[in-house]
Amino acid sequence: MALLSANSVSVFRDGRLVLDGVDMSVDRGEIVTIVGPNGSGKSTLLETLIGAIRPDRGKIRRAPRLRIGYVPQSLHIDPSMPMPVRRFLALPHPHDRLSRARALAQVGLSEAVEDQPMTGLSGGQFQRVLLARAILMEPDLLVLDEATRGLDQPGTAAFYEIVEDLRQVLNCGVLMVSHDLHVVMSASDRVICLNGHICCHGTPEIVASAPEYRALFGMGTRGTLALYRHTHDHAHDADHDCDHDHSQGDGGHHAG
């Protein structure tokens, strides 16, 4: 049974059809990424899948007692009310020191970061703390809504490497929304190309060669998108981006 599935799901927002007849699923142990241009309904689909939005047509099915760890696109913390990482990780439920230290280590951070204020973290550290908080939920499904927005390309690639490691360690499914096409294509088992409806889906290689995908992202019939697969001959630094040796092509396209 799939961890999560959508069957003929349609959603209207302000009288406009945002999602039209979407069918998709996520299984345990796989990474599924949703890509599409701005306004294509990516975040709406994600919110519908996790239950924040009720579909107008169709059904969402979730595995019984499904635990979801969620990493939002952005999170504002008031700098006038300093919140240390330790306190943030205790929301909404406290966890023991060993569990917190293990979660931080799994995202490449040292236990010492617990004493730092959330507002004093770098962009990469902040996103890793959000990820650590999500995995403290011991999720069956990890959901990432453009979790690397604002990170540079090395930071983005390092973040996705951590996600790939977590998928194996936690034996969870991963559902991501992202605009980082060049990295997503290397980090995913399946890609869903969305523009109100599902234009194409399949392995990264299949989607990258699909005419619908190329048309959406302005690549044309002669355009290329470099695909490279992560290798694990890297080491995660305790507080910084991991040291890695990737051979990247020059196909770095973005979805706006």
Side-chain angles (χ1 to χ4, degrees), residues 93-115:
H93 307 294
H95 301 275
D96 61 66
R97 177 176 170 270
L98 183 60
S99 296
R100 296 194 311 269
R102 183 170 58 244
L104 288 170
Q106 285 176 318
V107 300
L109 293 174
S110 71
E111 190 176 358
V113 79
E114 282 200 316
D115 295 323

Side-chain angles (χ1 to χ4, degrees), residues 142-162:
L142 192 58
V143 177
L144 311 168
D145 186 2
E146 299 206 30
T148 60
R149 181 180 288 275
L151 301 186
D152 60 16
Q153 185 169 323
T156 295
F159 187 90
Y160 284 135
E161 286 174 352
I162 292 170

Side-chain angles (χ1 to χ4, degrees), residues 181-229:
L181 301 183
H182 55 296
V183 179
V184 160
M185 286 299 189
S186 71
S188 308
D189 298 309
R190 288 194 293 123
V191 176
I192 295 170
C193 187
L194 186 73
N195 193 22
H197 64 284
I198 293 180
C199 304
C200 55
H201 64 93
T203 64
E205 291 79 7
I206 288 174
V207 171
S209 63
E212 298 90 343
Y213 176 88
R214 291 173 175 274
L216 272 182
F217 296 108
M219 296 176 194
T221 57
R222 297 174 62 85
T224 60
L225 178 70
L227 297 180
Y228 63 95
R229 291 290 177 182

Side-chain angles (χ1 to χ4, degrees), residues 47-116:
E47 291 173 18
T48 304
L49 290 169
I50 66 176
I53 294 175
R54 186 178 183 133
D56 294 291
R57 291 199 295 260
K59 286 190 175 182
I60 303 294
R61 290 186 171 88
R62 302 177 188 88
R65 297 178 295 280
L66 179 69
R67 295 190 304 272
I68 296 176
Y70 179 68
V71 180
Q73 183 177 130
S74 61
L75 182 68
H76 175 72
I77 295 180
D78 190 342
S80 67
M81 298 179 63
M83 177 183 292
V85 170
R86 179 182 293 103
R87 183 179 167 199
F88 178 78
L89 293 176
L91 301 174
H93 307 294
H95 301 275
D96 61 66
R97 177 176 170 270
L98 183 60
S99 296
R100 296 194 311 269
R102 183 170 58 244
L104 288 170
Q106 285 176 318
V107 300
L109 293 174
S110 71
E111 190 176 358
V113 79
E114 282 200 316
D115 295 323
Q116 296 185 36

